[in-house]
């Protein structure tokens, strides 16, 4: 016991200071897409053809749907004029599905917070039941990181709980396979009203690489009323944390 205490003293405070201090991200991190319509050569469509999931469109205005995007960077590499790139900005969450669509010349609006009675109920304490609805465990792993000492999600009053009856809402990952559809709906029904639904990752938002497969339902968006969308494949822990904090207005 003494050795453990001395070792903790030697290591010092290890929980990161975000959001009070910026969090360094690796140089190769692909965050918020940057679209420059002025550089886009009309009719080229190299980026559109390079995207395997139809996330980018050059019809009229150059747009990229982060709900479909896997952040693979193929579109950026294919563009001969550098009209498509990815920044180091990890703030990606939105309260609406349409809010995930990035447009050239238009500033991205991060997720807004809850209002009124929902903010009063969940602003200081938010308990979530995670449902992995056929995911590959990448989103789940990055979510689990938030409960470690380095992130300490609980210091913000946000925690994951074992029972939906003790939860304020669902945190859904995965494309919602047919085998998990009923389990997801039953878990949602077990959460007492009022309740929230948060979807994390391209699979939970739009089906990800499994979109339109016969055995998946293209995410939870068509099955449940969604309150927060967190894009990525998988979303970085910082993207998840930032979205959750904006939802409960710990960040404005």
């Amino acid at each position: 016991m003494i050795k453990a205490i001395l070792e903790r003293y030697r290591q010092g405070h290890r929980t990161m200071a975000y959001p009070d201090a910026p969090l360094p991200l690796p140089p190769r991190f692909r965050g918020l897409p940057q679209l420059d319509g002025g550089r886009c050569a009309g009719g080229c469509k190299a980026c559109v053809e390079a995207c395997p999931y139809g996330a980018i469109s050059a019809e009229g205005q150059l747009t990229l749907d982060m709900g479909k995007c896997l952040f693979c960077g193929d579109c950026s590499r294919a563009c001969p004029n550098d009209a498509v790139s990815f920044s180091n900005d990890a703030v990606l969450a939105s309260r609406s599905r349409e809010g995930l669509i990035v447009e050239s010349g238009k500033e991205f609006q991060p997720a807004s917070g809850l209002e009124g009675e929902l903010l009063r109920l969940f602003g200081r304490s938010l308990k979530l039941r995670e449902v992995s609805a056929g995911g590959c465990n990448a989103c789940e792993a990055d979510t689990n990181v938030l409960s470690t000492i380095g992130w300490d999600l609980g210091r913000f009053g946000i925690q994951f709980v074992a029972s939906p009856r003790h939860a304020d809402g669902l945190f859904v990952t995965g494309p919602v396979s047919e085998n998990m559809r009923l389990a997801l709906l039953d878990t949602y029904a077990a959460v007492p009203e009022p309740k929230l639904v948060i979807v994390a990752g391209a699979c939970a938002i739009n089906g990800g690489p499994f979109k339109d497969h016969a055995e998946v339902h293209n995410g939870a968006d068509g099955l449940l009323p969604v309150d927060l969308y967190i894009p990525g494949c998988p979303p970085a822990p910082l993207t998840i944390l930032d979205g959750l904090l904006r939802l409960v207005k710990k960040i404005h």
Side-chain angles (χ1 to χ4, degrees):
M1 183 66 180
I2 294 297
K3 288 183 178 180
I5 294 173
L6 290 175
E7 180 61 20
R8 287 297 296 117
Y9 180 78
R10 185 190 68 80
Q11 292 180 15
H13 186 73
R14 300 183 66 183
T15 302
M16 53 194 64
Y18 189 83
D20 295 331
L23 185 65
L25 288 163
R28 296 175 64 184
F29 174 78
R30 294 193 189 104
L32 184 67
Q34 302 290 302
L35 307 180
D36 188 344
R39 291 175 174 265
C40 185
C44 167
K45 296 187 178 179
C47 59
V48 177
E49 295 170 0
C51 179
Y53 304 110
I56 194 163
S57 172
E59 296 294 335
Q61 189 73 277
L62 184 63
T63 63
L64 190 151
D65 186 347
M66 292 193 294
K68 298 179 180 180
C69 183
L70 302 192
F71 293 79
C72 66
D74 283 357
C75 56
S76 179
R77 288 187 288 270
C79 181
N81 301 311
D82 296 326
V84 183
S85 61
F86 291 85
S87 72
N88 205 238
D89 187 352
V91 180
L92 307 177
S94 175
R95 291 292 306 279
S96 70
R97 181 66 182 85
E98 296 76 18
L100 295 177
I101 299 176
V102 178
E103 297 182 27
S104 172
K106 186 177 179 181
E107 184 178 358
F108 173 71
Q109 297 298 318
S112 59
L114 298 170
E115 300 287 348
E117 182 67 5
L118 289 179
L119 181 62
R120 187 188 72 81
L121 288 172
F122 305 139
R124 296 179 63 185
S125 175
L126 178 63
K127 312 299 183 185
L128 299 171
R129 176 63 167 94
E130 207 276 344
V131 177
S132 177
C136 71
N137 280 334
C139 292
E140 293 82 352
D142 276 4
T143 302
N144 285 342
V145 166
L146 298 178
S147 296
T148 65
I149 192 173
W151 296 83
D152 191 15
L153 182 64
R155 64 192 158 118
F156 302 109
I158 305 173
Q159 294 177 316
F160 289 93
V161 295
S163 171
R165 300 191 186 281
H166 299 160
D168 301 311
L170 296 186
F171 186 94
V172 185
T173 55
V176 187
S177 64
E178 173 58 23
N179 285 342
M180 281 298 298
R181 180 185 64 84
L182 185 58
L184 174 64
L185 295 177
D186 285 348
T187 305
Y188 177 75
V191 179
E193 296 280 358
K195 50 192 168 186
L196 305 174
V197 175
I198 299 164
V199 293
C203 287
I205 295 173
N206 195 71
F210 309 103
K211 179 175 168 54
D212 294 332
H213 190 283
E215 292 300 320
V216 304
H217 293 271
N218 293 342
D221 199 17
L223 298 172
L224 301 175
V226 178
D227 298 281
L228 181 68
Y229 298 83
I230 306 175
C233 186
L238 178 57
T239 300
I240 301 170
L241 175 62
D242 183 86
L244 293 175
L245 293 184
R246 289 180 187 277
L247 183 66
V248 295
K249 287 195 171 181
K250 304 286 187 182
I251 299 179
H252 298 280

